[in-house]
Amino acid sequence: MPKITPYFSKKLIAWYIQNKRELPWRNTLNPYHIWLSEIMLQQTRVSQGLPYFLKFVAAYPKIEDLANAPEDEVLKLWQGLGYYSRARNLHATAKIISEDMRGVFPNNYKDLLKLKGVGDYTASAIASISFNQPEAVVDGNVYRVLSRHFSISTPINSTTGQKEFKQLAQQLIDKDQPGTFNQAIMEFGARYCVPQNPDCENCIFNNSCVAFQQNKVAVLPVKIKTKPVKKRFFNYLVVLSENEHTVLQQRTGKGIWQKLYEFPLIETSEEINLSSLKKLPQFQTFSEKINIENISLFNEKPVIHKLSHQHLSTRFWIVETLEDKENTVPISEVKNYAVPVLIADFVSEFFENY
DNA sequence: AAACCGGGGTC
DNA sequence: GACCCAGGTTT
């Protein structure tokens, strides 16, 4: 392990005081607000999470307001932010704190860690920022700053790497101002020690950064390769009745988009045409429940919706019917449901051409 | 330990 | 196309 002196932490905090962004969760120690921001910012850039934070605080000023909201409403507000288990866990945790803990937020790392959706990073962040506990955070920014400054090549996504960087961060943390230190090192990584082409020549640490001196900035941090993305083929059946109702269903079970709404879906192993679609057992079952007047393909060219771990090659089939059966909603009201961005984009385009 | 879970930005 | 983002949970 490198030798630890107060030099690094003091200089980092001095930089932070001069260069930090003004963000709404930096004007408060309210654990509800800190928690909300930290959950939203998991694997999410500040610029993307910020408008959602403002929406949630306005809709749910107190944690009780969040706890008392219907889950569908919370998911709708979360729509577009991704990783929807965060929203479900957020809501469940709000209920637990509100109903089982008399609305009092856990005030230490160990108890925070027990909350749903709160792991090592988030427990440390809340403990340090809201409760002044010396618990070091290690997020993607911290990995990058530390691996470069101390030239550590241990893969950051290995078990040993996670332990090593956590231990180093814990030694570096300023115990007199742990929350400020944690935010400072993350802000420095996000704003200065950026992944690509950082301005090392003018960096305040360029006389102590080992990676800079060894010309290894570009190859740090080291990350173990990930597997290639999966390709999937989605066929959405967009029912359109004579009075413009459609069928929406809620996703259940495992996999992506749990509890979000979508049109009836038939997944295939490859792109298919209309005659092939009609022969599928899933389609046969579907067609028994509805009197199909006509089917047409909305988009000949599939929409490639890219998730981080899979590409969804998607085509929408317009299924016209005369009847208006149960469990249908006006297609103009789909916007009131929590749907994947893929579905929201389709609905927008549908009305543009309507 | 590895797989899974979104969407958007950057180069 | 590859990589990254104020990570956590499940298998």
Side-chain angles (χ1 to χ4, degrees):
Chain A
M1 286 299 247
K3 187 177 182 210
I4 306 301
T5 69
Y7 164 85
F8 181 81
S9 303
K10 296 299 183 193
K11 199 162 183 175
L12 191 60
I13 289 174
W15 177 90
Y16 177 65
I17 301 298
Q18 294 298 320
N19 295 280
K20 70 173 185 176
R21 292 167 286 186
E22 284 302 325
L23 298 169
W25 49 84
R26 287 185 173 157
N27 297 324
T28 178
L29 299 182
N30 182 338
Y32 167 52
H33 289 169
I34 300 300
W35 166 65
L36 181 59
S37 71
E38 294 299 346
I39 299 296
M40 286 181 165
L41 294 176
Q42 290 169 2
Q43 292 291 287
T44 305
R45 291 173 190 280
V46 167
S47 58
Q48 187 183 4
L50 179 54
Y52 287 83
F53 178 83
L54 298 175
K55 277 198 300 184
F56 269 70
V57 169
Y60 312 123
K62 300 188 67 177
I63 193 169
E64 288 78 15
D65 302 320
L66 175 58
N68 292 333
E71 185 181 46
D72 274 3
E73 182 184 295
V74 176
L75 284 169
K76 181 62 191 175
L77 266 188
W78 197 274
Q79 180 181 310
L81 198 52
Y83 285 149
Y84 297 94
S85 66
R86 292 184 294 171
R88 300 191 302 269
N89 287 333
L90 185 82
H91 187 229
T93 295
K95 278 186 168 307
I96 291 170
I97 292 176
S98 184
E99 296 167 11
D100 299 345
M101 302 178 170
R102 302 174 186 175
V104 179
F105 223 92
N107 67 352
N108 62 83
Y109 171 83
K110 181 168 161 288
D111 290 333
L112 286 162
L113 202 51
K114 296 175 186 170
L115 302 176
K116 283 185 184 177
V118 174
D120 181 84
Y121 164 79
T122 306
S124 299
I126 301 171
S128 63
I129 296 171
S130 285
F131 303 112
N132 209 35
Q133 290 200 322
E135 301 287 345
V137 298
V138 183
D139 74 334
N141 296 306
V142 177
Y143 279 124
R144 188 169 53 256
V145 172
L146 295 184
S147 71
R148 286 174 175 170
H149 188 272
F150 298 99
S151 191
I152 300 171
S153 301
T154 313
I156 61 173
N157 54 346
S158 66
T159 304
T160 57
Q162 287 172 21
K163 288 181 190 168
E164 186 177 351
F165 283 98
K166 175 77 180 181
Q167 187 184 346
L168 176 54
Q170 194 60 43
Q171 293 181 47
L172 289 166
I173 193 171
D174 186 335
K175 294 186 177 176
D176 293 329
Q177 35 186 341
T180 302
F181 171 85
N182 279 339
Q183 295 187 78
I185 191 169
M186 290 191 285
E187 186 82 342
F188 186 73
R191 305 269 291 174
Y192 202 95
C193 192
V194 292
Q196 304 177 76
N197 305 318
D199 182 12
C200 297
E201 301 298 332
N202 297 309
C203 179
I204 57 170
F205 289 117
N206 64 8
N207 64 348
S208 59
C209 177
V210 184
F212 177 65
Q213 291 163 5
Q214 298 177 345
N215 200 24
K216 290 170 67 178
V217 170
V219 299
L220 291 174
V222 173
K223 201 169 185 177
I224 299 169
K225 292 291 181 189
T226 55
K227 291 181 61 177
V229 299
K230 271 184 190 167
K231 291 177 184 170
R232 303 174 69 181
F233 298 87
F234 280 12
N235 295 276
Y236 278 116
L237 305 177
V238 185
V239 172
L240 209 54
S241 72
E242 210 164 33
N243 61 347
E244 296 167 17
H245 282 217
T246 191
V247 176
L248 269 193
Q249 50 195 37
Q250 194 171 25
R251 286 183 72 93
T252 57
K254 305 290 182 183
I256 59 175
W257 301 332
Q258 280 177 46
K259 296 198 176 181
L260 270 62
Y261 291 81
E262 64 181 3
F263 306 115
L265 169 65
I266 296 179
E267 182 173 359
T268 52
S269 57
E270 58 185 357
E271 194 174 311
I272 58 169
N273 58 29
L274 181 54
S275 62
S276 301
L277 177 67
K278 286 178 175 173
K279 292 171 188 163
L280 294 174
Q282 303 100 300
F283 184 86
Q284 304 279 352
T285 305
F286 173 79
S287 62
E288 286 168 12
K289 292 183 286 189
I290 185 169
N291 234 323
I292 297 175
E293 195 73 15
N294 183 45
I295 301 183
S296 58
L297 184 55
F298 181 80
N299 56 324
E300 180 70 34
K301 186 178 178 184
V303 173
I304 311 296
H305 188 72
K306 296 180 178 181
L307 309 182
S308 56
H309 53 293
Q310 47 188 290
H311 289 358
L312 311 176
S313 181
T314 308
R315 299 213 290 187
F316 296 88
W317 303 85
I318 307 297
V319 180
E320 295 174 68
T321 178
L322 298 179
E323 309 156 273
D324 180 18
K325 298 236 178 180
E326 320 160 2
N327 298 328
T328 65
V329 301
I331 192 163
S332 61
E333 287 184 16
V334 173
K335 64 178 186 300
N336 298 326
Y337 291 78
V339 299
V341 167
L342 173 63
I343 301 295
D345 286 350
F346 164 79
V347 172
S348 296
E349 194 181 338
F350 177 83
F351 280 112
E352 279 178 25
N353 303 336
Y354 192 63

